[in-house]
Every structure is written in C-alpha cells, then in structure tokens.
C-alpha cells in the first residue's frame, strides 16, 4: 500500500537536499521509518489513506510526534493515529540490541539516581540520544533484567566443558555515597560442540578466594562438569578455589601474565633477553622437547639472574600443564589471551559509563554484552574441533602417571 503523501520518503529527501541539510542520513532514516509506519497503518485500516473501500475497518486521525533514538542520532517520527483504537509500531520503535538497550538504561538510571547532569548528558550524546524518559528507563530495564537473569541462570547442559577460562575485571560503582571498586567475575568455556560459551557472570566486593569459590560452585550447581583444564591468571585465592570447586581439573597459569611477573625480577636492560629465552620454551614441537628446553632456559638464566631462575623453576608445572593435551590446541589453552580480547569488548562498552550507579547496572550492561557475544560465537566456526576435544579428553592428566600430573597450588605473586 502507498504511504501518505505528507510522509512520502522521496519528497522528504528531495526537500532535505534542496535545503542543504547536512544530516541526510538522519533524514533518510526518518523518511523511511515514516513510510513504513504509514503503510502499516493503512494495512490496519484495511484500505489506503483517503481511499473509499468496503473493506475499510478504521480510518486515520492525524499523527503524533515521537522521538526515536537511532545510531544516526535522535530523529522525530510521525506516528499515525487512528479514529478507533490506537496504533503503535512495536516492531520498529522497541527493537534494540541488548547491549545498546543496557547502555542507554544504565546512563538513564545514573541520571535518575542523581549523577551529575552534565556528565549524564555527555554520556548520552555519545550514544546519539537527546532525551531520556523515566518510563523508557523503567520499561527497558525490566525487559533487559529478565533477559540477563535468564542468561546468567540458564542450565549448563552441554555434555562437558573440557576447557574453562576465568578472569576478573574491576569496575567502579557508587555505594553508600562513595565510589568503590568491585570485581566482575567472568567464566568462558568450550562446550561439547567445540564452540566458546560464556558460562557465568557475577559481581563481588573483591577478587578473593571466597568470591571465586562461590562463583565456581554456582557454575557447578548449574551443571558445569567435565572440566579438565582451567586457564587463568594467578589471582589471589583463585588457584585454591579451582582445587576446591573443580577437583578434577588441573590449572594452566597464563604464560603472558606470568612473563610480566618474571620480568620484574631482572633489570630492565635484561628483560628483552629473558623474554626471548622464555618464549623459546613454547616453540617446541612436543612435550618432551618443551620440558627439555624449559630446563635449559632455567640453567641459562640462573648463570646471570638466580632469583629469576628460581622463580621460573618453581612455576614449571603451572606453566606446562598445557603439554598434557594435543599439540594442535596448545595456542588456545596456554594463555588467557582469548579472554583478554573478550575483556576489551566489555571495556569498550563500560568505559562509556565510567562509574556505575549500582551493581545491578554492572550486571545489566556486562551481562547484555556477554549474551550477545555468546550468540555470535554460536554462529561462528567452531573454536575447537570435536575430534580434538575427544582426543583431549582421552589425554587428560589423570590418565597419565600421577607423578607427572600438575596440581593447582597457590601462586607466587599476584598477576
């Protein structure tokens, strides 16, 4: 059906171009959306605008202005009104990506809780939004909180999660009239199909052993099982929490974060040489060569920097846990680098807010980002092939000689 002449997209676009309006993209979005709504309203009425027809069931009664926040900025739409009943295009005006909804809601909630007006307006401008209403905040928050809670509490019903990566991010939150740091705990696993999946998210006061134990036990209560290797930094209390909540899993200390710790034990001038020596350990083709090269590197460093050599020697089993699994997946399990890339995506969204008004706002935004990321991973190619996962489960540490099994133990330094 044809759209009403007053909102004909071609006429409006020609008018914008004739007037030299610089925001042609916003004009095109406005014209197209108005044309869609006009055609949709005609369909509801049963006949085109101004057309006499025995099939007509309703008629138009003007328009009402409605601002629409889009990626091209805030535009003003003409929503058709009907003489009988009401018309509102839910399919157009309420469709947003979860993370975008969460970001707008967090910013608007900050305003409602008394955060500086200047700061909130600045944040909103970064989203291209010029107006935030209390009703909009309430509706969006209710919808998002239900989505995020369902995502965070869903059953982990994969047959097994052979590899799990753990990490924490620090967020700033306002509590009791002051700004405090809270820890945002995130777990990512590789499911039985070979896809990566965000397993859990929680916020606690600090990144200590108690917080990690509660977090991991919550995952196991939801169905987490079959974990053979946990990859993480040497967070305080985390290694003990892994041994307590996931007794069948070994621990792989992130090689990237460990190297940063090791380099603090030698002079700055020697750091490039030590870093190069340590990296040669991970260039070897099989477990035997990896361990032989590890011993050679320890001996070489010991000749000049015995403290660093002792540090490296003590961390041997923590750093070489990956050698108990197939060579084809070593790069995916010997560090937390894949998790760091996910953290960058989280930070890209949360940096817009800066200081969150409460912990619920952190969960809302980060949870929406993680839910979207999990959806994207599901549609992408497998992170690991099923045949490699089967092979990895056949070569698990408990199937080997007990003297060679790396056991989780407290870290020497905080990552």
């Amino acid at each position: 059906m044809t759209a009403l002449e007053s909102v004909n997209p071609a006429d409006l676009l020609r008018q914008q171009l004739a007037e030299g309006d610089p925001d042609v993209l916003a004009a095109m979005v406005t014209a197209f959306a108005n044309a869609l709504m006009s055609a949709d309203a005609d369909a509801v009425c049963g006949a085109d605008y101004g057309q006499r027809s025995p099939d007509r069931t309703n008629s138009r009664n003007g328009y009402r202005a409605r601002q629409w926040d889009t990626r091209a900025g805030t535009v003003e739409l003409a929503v058709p009104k009907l003489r009988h009943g009401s018309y509102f295009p839910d399919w157009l005006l309420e469709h947003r990506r979860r993370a975008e909804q969460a970001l707008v809601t967090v910013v608007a909630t900050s305003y409602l809780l008394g955060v500086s007006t200047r700061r909130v307006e600045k944040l909103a401008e970064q989203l291209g939004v010029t107006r935030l209403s209390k009703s909009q905040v309430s509706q969006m928050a209710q919808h998002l909180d239900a989505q995020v809670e369902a995502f965070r509490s869903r059953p982990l019903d994969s047959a097994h999660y052979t590899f799990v990566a753990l990490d924490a991010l620090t967020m700033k939150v306002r509590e009791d009239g002051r700004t405090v740091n809270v820890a945002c705990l995130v777990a990512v696993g590789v499911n039985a199909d070979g896809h990566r999946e965000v397993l859990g998210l929680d916020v606690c006061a600090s990144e200590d052993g108690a917080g990690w134990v509660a977090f991991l036990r919550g995952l196991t209560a939801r169905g987490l099982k079959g974990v053979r290797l946990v990859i993480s930094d040497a967070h305080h209390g985390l290694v003990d929490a892994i041994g307590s909540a996931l007794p069948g899993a070994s621990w792989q200390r992130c090689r990237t974060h460990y190297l940063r710790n090791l380099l603090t034990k030698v002079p700055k001038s020697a750091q490039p040489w030590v870093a190069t020596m340590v990296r040669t350990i991970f260039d070897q083709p099989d477990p035997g060569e990896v361990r032989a090269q590890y011993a050679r590197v320890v001996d070489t460093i010991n000749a000049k920097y015995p403290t660093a050599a002792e540090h490296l020697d003590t961390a041997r089993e923590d750093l070489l846990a990956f050698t108990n699994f197939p060579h084809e997946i070593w790069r995916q399990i010997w560090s937390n680098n894949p998790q760091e890339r996910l953290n960058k995506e989280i930070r890209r969204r949360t940096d817009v807010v800066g200081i969150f008004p409460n912990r619920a706002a952190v969960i809302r935004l980060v949870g929406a980002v993680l839910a979207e990321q999990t959806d994207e991973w599901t549609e992408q190619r497998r992170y690991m092939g099923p045949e490699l996962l089967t092979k990895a489960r056949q070569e698990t540490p408990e199937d080997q000689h007990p003297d060679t099994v790396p056991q989780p133990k407290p870290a020497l330094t905080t990552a």
Side-chain angles (χ1 to χ4, degrees):
M1 295 184 179
T2 59
L4 181 62
E5 184 176 351
S6 61
V7 292
N8 185 280
D11 291 344
L12 286 178
L13 184 57
R14 281 195 294 269
Q15 179 182 353
Q16 295 286 339
L17 293 173
E19 295 175 355
D21 192 328
D23 200 351
V24 177
L25 177 60
M28 292 176 66
V29 170
T30 304
F32 186 67
N34 282 338
L36 287 175
M37 289 188 295
S38 182
D40 192 36
D42 287 344
V44 172
C45 292
D48 290 346
Y49 180 81
Q51 179 185 25
R52 296 181 180 274
S53 170
D55 297 328
R56 178 178 292 280
T57 58
N58 207 335
S59 58
R60 305 272 283 273
N61 188 30
Y63 298 88
R64 66 177 182 275
R66 166 67 184 263
Q67 287 192 328
W68 186 32
D69 302 326
T70 73
R71 298 175 191 271
T74 300
V75 299
E76 186 162 312
L77 301 181
V79 181
K81 296 169 63 178
L82 304 180
R83 291 194 179 277
H84 307 288
S86 61
Y87 168 79
F88 188 82
D90 294 338
W91 51 271
L92 176 66
L93 296 184
E94 291 189 358
H95 178 70
R96 284 180 180 268
R97 289 173 60 86
R98 281 176 294 200
E100 185 177 332
Q101 285 182 314
L103 198 52
V104 173
T105 306
V106 168
V107 173
T109 303
S110 302
Y111 174 78
L112 295 178
L113 293 179
V115 179
S116 165
T117 303
R118 178 180 299 177
R119 178 173 178 79
V120 173
E121 289 178 351
K122 183 178 179 180
L123 296 177
E125 287 173 2
Q126 295 182 38
L127 301 175
V129 178
T130 59
R131 188 180 67 178
L132 296 169
S133 67
K134 188 172 182 178
S135 60
Q136 178 190 25
V137 173
S138 178
Q139 292 175 0
M140 291 176 62
Q142 184 177 9
H143 175 65
L144 277 165
D145 288 346
Q147 281 190 329
V148 171
E149 182 57 30
F151 173 73
R152 293 178 61 221
S153 60
R154 75 192 189 282
L156 301 177
D157 50 9
S158 176
H160 56 77
Y161 294 89
T162 306
F163 303 104
V164 172
L166 301 175
D167 205 359
L169 299 90
T170 301
M171 304 286 178
K172 293 186 180 296
V173 173
R174 284 188 174 85
E175 290 184 348
D176 300 325
R178 58 196 181 96
T179 301
V180 299
N181 289 329
V182 297
C184 186
L185 311 182
V186 179
V188 176
V190 180
N191 60 30
D193 293 330
H195 288 100
R196 297 176 72 197
E197 179 182 337
V198 176
L199 305 179
L201 162 70
D202 202 2
V203 174
C204 58
S206 62
E207 190 183 346
D208 56 11
W212 279 114
V213 168
F215 179 59
L216 293 177
R217 286 180 177 172
L219 295 181
T220 57
R222 288 170 45 213
L224 178 64
K225 60 183 179 180
V227 180
R228 294 295 181 263
L229 184 71
V230 178
I231 308 102
S232 75
D233 306 335
H235 293 301
H236 178 67
L238 173 55
V239 182
D240 289 336
I242 294 171
S244 174
L246 302 172
S250 57
W251 176 54
Q252 169 65 46
R253 185 171 185 175
C254 174
R255 51 169 282 193
T256 304
H257 287 82
Y258 173 76
L259 183 57
R260 295 173 189 167
N261 292 337
L262 178 64
L263 294 182
T264 63
K265 306 298 181 181
V266 300
K268 189 172 184 179
S269 60
Q271 290 180 359
W273 175 74
V274 172
T276 300
M277 290 294 295
V278 172
R279 291 189 183 104
T280 64
I281 298 172
F282 302 93
D283 292 335
Q284 307 309 311
D286 58 70
E289 286 298 320
V290 169
R291 291 187 174 274
Q293 180 65 11
Y294 200 107
R296 288 192 289 267
V297 170
V298 170
D299 291 340
T300 302
I301 296 177
N302 186 61
K304 294 184 177 181
Y305 307 105
T307 301
E310 181 182 1
H311 193 281
L312 181 61
D313 187 44
T314 304
R316 187 189 305 261
E317 297 304 329
D318 299 339
L319 290 175
L320 299 187
F322 71 90
T323 59
N324 295 305
F325 298 91
H327 180 269
E328 296 88 341
I329 59 176
W330 282 4
R331 291 184 178 274
Q332 292 152 292
I333 63 174
W334 64 25
S335 77
N336 239 15
N337 288 349
Q339 188 86 348
E340 292 296 325
R341 288 190 284 273
L342 175 62
N343 291 346
K344 287 183 180 179
E345 178 61 21
I346 295 174
R347 289 294 186 194
R348 186 176 70 84
R349 309 292 185 94
T350 59
D351 285 350
V352 176
V353 181
I355 302 175
F356 285 84
N358 49 49
R359 296 190 188 188
V362 176
I363 292 177
R364 182 180 301 134
L365 178 52
V366 177
V369 172
L370 295 178
E372 284 184 358
Q373 184 61 72
T374 298
D375 291 344
E376 292 179 9
W377 283 338
T378 302
E379 297 173 356
Q380 294 173 359
R381 60 179 295 183
R382 289 186 175 94
Y383 187 65
M384 293 181 185
E387 66 285 350
L388 285 176
L389 284 174
T390 300
K391 185 178 179 182
R393 298 186 65 78
Q394 293 172 348
E395 298 182 10
T396 52
E398 59 261 34
D399 296 330
Q400 302 173 16
H401 192 278
D403 293 339
T404 66
V405 179
Q407 297 297 327
K409 57 186 177 180
L412 292 172
T413 57
T414 302

